[in-house]
């Protein structure tokens, strides 16, 4: 690793003489092989999303979310109306290209254009979306947008330290674990230690190739079983 020093002989970070602030993300539509991301709309997506979430047998998918399980469709529609078209977070609906129905949401958030940092969060995937090619592709589409198209330097993932599935998902997707912020948040009447993960711009080209190899149709058997895991593609 190259060591940089200033005029006093002190170690400093790598110079970025051409760095400029990045653009704020836009509410665009992103289309992949298996899913499409659209700006969340309570009117267009709300009823489909509530129906998708209602397929879960209980409310455990909301344990580590800031929202609570929704008691009825009207409650979810009110929630979706509140968060749609927000500036930060910016929520997107995940559309299954086979059924053309919304099956989950995720959001870009904690957007810092000055330093080129952005977080993926509010990941609410229904049983129709979890552990599918669509789920991986949805993350890939937003990573590509932030790191490649917009030129952000840092793409973050944060979760409750107790949320083991989220921690495993971050590692599978190529995020690097950075540490735990103790007693970082109080939510739902309890304390939260927050685990931090990130992908930086220099890691993106290799990760992009791995995603594209994994998402390729020939990586799956006729029954949809993957031939090679995403981690193996890296």
């Amino acid at each position: 690793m190259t060591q940089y020093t200033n005029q006093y002989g002190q170690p400093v970070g790598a110079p970025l003489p051409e760095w400029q602030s990045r653009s704020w993300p836009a509410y665009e539509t992103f289309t992949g092989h298996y899913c499409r991301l659209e700006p969340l709309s309570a009117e267009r997506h709300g009823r489909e999303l509530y129906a998708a979430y209602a397929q879960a047998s209980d409310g455990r998918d909301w344990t580590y979310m800031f929202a609570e399980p929704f008691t009825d469709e009207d409650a979810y529609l009110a929630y979706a109306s509140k968060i749609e078209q927000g500036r930060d977070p910016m929520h997107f609906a995940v559309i299954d290209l086979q059924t053309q129905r919304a099956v989950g949401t995720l959001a870009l958030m904690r957007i810092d254009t000055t330093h080129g940092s952005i977080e993926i969060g509010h990941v609410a995937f229904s049983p129709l979306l979890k552990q599918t090619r669509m789920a991986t592709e949805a993350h890939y589409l937003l990573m590509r947008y932030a790191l490649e198209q917009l030129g952000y330097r840092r793409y973050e993932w944060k979760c409750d330290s107790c949320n083991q599935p989220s921690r495993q998902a971050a590692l599978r997707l190529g995020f690097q674990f950075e540490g735990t912020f103790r007693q970082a948040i109080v939510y739902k009447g309890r304390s939260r230690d927050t685990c931090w993960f990130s992908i930086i711009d220099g890691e993106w080209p290799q990760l992009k190739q791995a995603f594209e190899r994994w998402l390729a149709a020939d990586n799956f058997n006729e029954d949809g079983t993957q031939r090679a895991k995403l981690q193996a593609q890296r």
Side-chain angles (χ1 to χ4, degrees):
M1 181 179 296
T2 303
Q3 179 68 61
Y4 299 93
T5 57
N6 64 9
Q7 65 269 36
Y8 308 112
Q10 296 168 304
V12 295
L16 294 173
E18 298 181 0
W19 172 257
Q20 296 181 355
S21 295
R22 290 326 192 213
S23 299
W24 197 272
Y27 273 117
E28 298 184 20
T29 296
F30 308 98
T31 303
H33 297 296
Y34 312 108
C35 73
R36 180 175 67 250
L37 304 185
E38 298 178 353
L40 176 63
S41 165
E43 181 179 357
R44 291 200 313 274
H45 308 124
R47 288 177 174 81
E48 292 177 358
L49 286 167
Y50 177 74
Y53 294 137
Q55 295 203 23
S57 58
D58 55 35
R60 69 183 61 210
D61 289 342
W62 302 92
T63 297
Y64 303 111
M65 304 289 288
F66 284 92
E68 297 285 0
F70 299 96
T71 55
D72 52 42
E73 184 181 90
D74 287 342
Y76 182 75
L77 291 175
Y79 170 76
S81 296
K82 182 179 179 180
I83 65 173
E84 69 177 1
Q85 300 298 309
R87 179 169 170 79
D88 187 351
M90 298 174 62
H91 292 264
F92 292 84
V94 183
I95 312 300
D96 181 340
L97 289 183
Q98 286 192 329
T99 65
Q100 294 297 317
R101 297 180 69 85
V103 290
T105 64
L106 70 174
L108 294 173
M109 57 185 289
R110 300 190 185 279
I111 302 162
D112 186 337
T113 59
T114 300
H115 303 294
S117 177
I118 197 166
E119 180 181 341
I120 185 70
H122 294 281
V123 179
F125 287 178
S126 76
L128 298 176
L129 179 56
K130 289 193 295 183
Q131 298 181 332
T132 67
R133 280 178 269 184
M134 291 184 293
T136 298
E137 187 174 59
H139 282 294
Y140 162 74
L141 291 171
L142 283 187
M143 280 187 206
R144 186 179 65 180
Y145 177 55
L147 292 167
E148 185 172 315
Q149 185 172 336
L150 296 180
Y152 278 67
R153 303 177 64 230
R154 176 177 171 84
Y155 193 80
E156 297 180 336
W157 178 296
K158 302 185 184 79
C159 65
D160 191 316
S161 64
C162 297
N163 189 351
Q164 192 61 34
S166 183
R167 296 173 64 170
Q168 292 173 344
L171 295 174
R172 174 184 174 273
L173 292 169
F175 287 83
Q176 299 294 313
F177 176 64
E178 296 182 328
T180 301
F181 282 47
R182 300 179 299 164
Q183 297 186 185
I185 292 175
V186 177
Y187 76 139
K188 295 187 174 181
R190 61 180 188 260
S191 178
R192 179 177 117 167
D193 294 352
T194 298
C195 290
W196 284 51
F197 302 81
S198 74
I199 293 169
I200 57 176
D201 53 359
E203 298 163 346
W204 172 242
Q206 182 181 10
L207 291 175
K208 178 183 179 181
Q209 290 182 0
F211 277 114
E212 292 180 348
R213 286 194 292 263
W214 188 86
L215 290 166
D218 61 9
N219 187 45
F220 297 89
N221 295 325
E222 292 182 0
D223 63 359
T225 303
Q226 63 182 353
R227 298 181 188 274
K229 293 183 177 180
L230 179 59
Q231 299 95 313
Q233 303 285 9
R234 296 196 290 269

